[in-house]
């Protein structure tokens, strides 16, 4: 289904109080915190009708100084980004009777995001006045210096990956707007749709978790809308994690279960196309002397090979990242058995 453009204008009417009560559950996922975290939590607690949950994935890291009103979940180990969101949603639903009911939206937020004052002020209005058939709201991203950041991607398949290898991601997004989806650092999704599709899949510890989520959402007939560029958020990005060879290999490994899960949409042989895409990228980076980027591409390729040869292997469990194994993640935060009101069973690809 084509993605909808939700263009917003300054001067939107303020929503009625009844419209914004418990409109939003903001879930901030952290691994050891970030310089932006205190300001981010403080900004979210000022939003009318917003409950804030902080999920800390780094073992041994505590948040005793979290602002009043922030519900903190910690001590469960490194369960990954998507599973952390599930965990907060699951606990919030368990608390429904005492907290005034189910929030209409889940706002997924990375800990290294900062929300400008204008965007913070408009956020409840944007959600309250989103078209009824829009299930996800994507936002623009900018960098700390105000430049454009990466806020969107295109679902992978043989054609989009081959096209991206030659023309670049922006050109692929423009050619296949129906396959466009928000990056996982900041987006809002209606709670009922999130539950209908089963939330994030705990199979994915790191990487491809939001790609899998949006592939299932679009397959279920969901619709993605986009706020215009007047209301961006700032995203620093996980620079430390991005430079870690173990996590670069995890990116390659995660592509393998994604390909198996979504073979009908990616097409048979997508992994080979994706591998060729990475080989071309490595060659380009070597020619231009960009050695760190070339090394990163090689590590992703190594991870893909490992995922194909040993599909059940989870090296991150015994690494310095101390990942919680997939079976434990599923027991802790699977949302399969929590359908939305009036919905059928959760939808999986």
């Amino acid at each position: 289904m084509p993605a909808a453009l939700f263009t917003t204008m300054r001067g939107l009417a303020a929503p009625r109080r009844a419209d914004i009560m418990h409109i939003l559950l903001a879930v901030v996922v952290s691994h050891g915190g970030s310089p932006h975290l205190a300001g981010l939590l403080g900004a979210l607690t000022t939003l009318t009708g917003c409950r804030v949950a902080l999920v800390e994935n780094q073992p041994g890291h505590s948040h005793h100084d979290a602002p009043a009103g922030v519900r903190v979940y910690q001590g469960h180990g490194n369960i990954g980004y998507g599973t952390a969101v599930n965990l907060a949603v699951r606990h919030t639903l368990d608390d429904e009777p005492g907290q005034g009911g189910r929030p209409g939206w889940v706002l997924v937020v990375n800990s290294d995001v900062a929300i400008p004052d204008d965007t913070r002020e408009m956020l409840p209005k944007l959600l309250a006045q989103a078209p009824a058939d829009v299930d996800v709201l994507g936002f623009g991203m900018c960098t700390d210096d105000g430049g454009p950041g990466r806020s969107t991607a295109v679902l992978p398949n043989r054609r989009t990956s081959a096209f991206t290898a030659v023309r670049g991601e922006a050109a692929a997004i423009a050619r296949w707007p129906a396959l466009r989806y928000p990056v996982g650092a900041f987006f809002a999704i209606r709670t009922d749709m999130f539950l209908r599709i089963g939330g994030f899949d705990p199979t994915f510890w790191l990487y491809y978790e939001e790609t899998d989520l949006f592939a299932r959402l679009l397959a279920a007939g969901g619709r993605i809308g986009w706020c215009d560029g007047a209301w961006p958020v700032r995203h620093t990005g996980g620079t430390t994690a991005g430079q870690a060879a173990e996590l670069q290999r995890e990116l390659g490994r995660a592509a393998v279960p994604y390909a198996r899960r979504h073979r009908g949409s990616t097409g048979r042989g997508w992994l080979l196309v994706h591998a060729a895409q990475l080989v071309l990228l490595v060659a380009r980076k070597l020619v231009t002397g960009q050695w760190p980027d070339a090394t990163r591409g090689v590590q992703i390729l190594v991870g893909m090979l490992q995922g194909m040869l040993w599909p059940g292997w989870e090296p991150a469990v015994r690494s310095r990242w101390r990942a919680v194994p997939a079976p434990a993640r599923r027991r802790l935060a699977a949302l399969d058995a929590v359908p939305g009101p009036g919905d059928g069973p959760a939808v999986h690809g």
Side-chain angles (χ1 to χ4, degrees), residues 6 9 26 29 67-68 74-75 81-82 92 127 129 186 188 190 205 219 225 236 263 271 281 283 307 313 326:
F6 175 40
M9 303 294 181
V29 182
Q74 54 197 15
Y81 192 77
T92 299
L127 297 177
Q129 299 190 12
F186 193 91
R190 291 193 190 271
W205 172 67
T236 300
R263 185 173 297 171
L271 280 176
L281 172 67
W313 184 39

Side-chain angles (χ1 to χ4, degrees), residues 102-148:
R102 173 175 295 179
W105 292 86
V106 176
L107 182 70
V108 179
V109 190
N110 209 13
S111 65
D112 55 10
V113 162
I115 307 176
D117 289 342
D118 286 351
T119 303
R120 177 180 55 82
E121 180 181 350
M122 286 299 300
L123 188 56
K125 305 174 187 178
L126 295 171
L127 297 177
Q129 299 190 12
D133 62 346
V134 167
D135 301 295
V136 171
L137 208 53
F139 294 79
M141 298 275 184
C142 62
T143 59
D144 279 342
D145 60 5

Side-chain angles (χ1 to χ4, degrees), residues 39-230:
L40 171 63
L41 294 174
L44 290 171
T45 57
T46 66
L47 295 177
T48 304
C50 180
R51 281 181 263 172
V52 184
L54 172 63
V55 187
E56 177 54 58
N57 276 343
Q58 180 170 299
H61 191 94
S62 297
H63 293 276
H64 300 298
D65 56 348
V70 176
R71 185 75 178 269
V72 180
Y73 303 101
Q74 54 197 15
H76 47 257
N78 191 352
I79 56 177
Y81 192 77
T83 307
V85 176
N86 283 10
L87 179 74
V89 171
R90 187 167 175 173
H91 281 289
T92 299
L93 296 181
D94 289 343
D95 293 342
E96 273 186 41
Q99 296 293 327
R102 173 175 295 179
W105 292 86
V106 176
L107 182 70
V108 179
V109 190
N110 209 13
S111 65
D112 55 10
V113 162
I115 307 176
D117 289 342
D118 286 351
T119 303
R120 177 180 55 82
E121 180 181 350
M122 286 299 300
L123 188 56
K125 305 174 187 178
L126 295 171
L127 297 177
Q129 299 190 12
D133 62 346
V134 167
D135 301 295
V136 171
L137 208 53
F139 294 79
M141 298 275 184
C142 62
T143 59
D144 279 342
D145 60 5
R150 184 172 181 265
S151 59
T152 183
V154 62
L155 289 179
N157 60 43
R158 287 179 302 187
R159 295 180 67 193
T160 59
S161 294
F163 190 87
T164 299
V166 177
R167 298 284 302 277
E169 187 176 53
I173 292 168
R175 180 161 180 175
W176 288 283
L179 300 180
R180 180 188 178 197
Y181 68 93
V183 299
F186 193 91
F187 68 89
I189 180 169
R190 291 193 190 271
T191 305
D192 288 349
M193 176 56 81
F194 187 72
L195 297 175
R196 179 186 167 196
I197 62 176
F200 286 99
D201 184 349
T203 299
F204 297 93
W205 172 67
L206 194 65
Y207 303 118
Y208 280 90
E209 61 268 73
E210 81 271 25
T211 311
D212 168 75
L213 180 82
F214 290 120
R216 287 185 282 116
L217 180 136
L218 292 176
R223 192 177 182 196
I224 300 173
W226 300 87
C227 293
D228 68 23

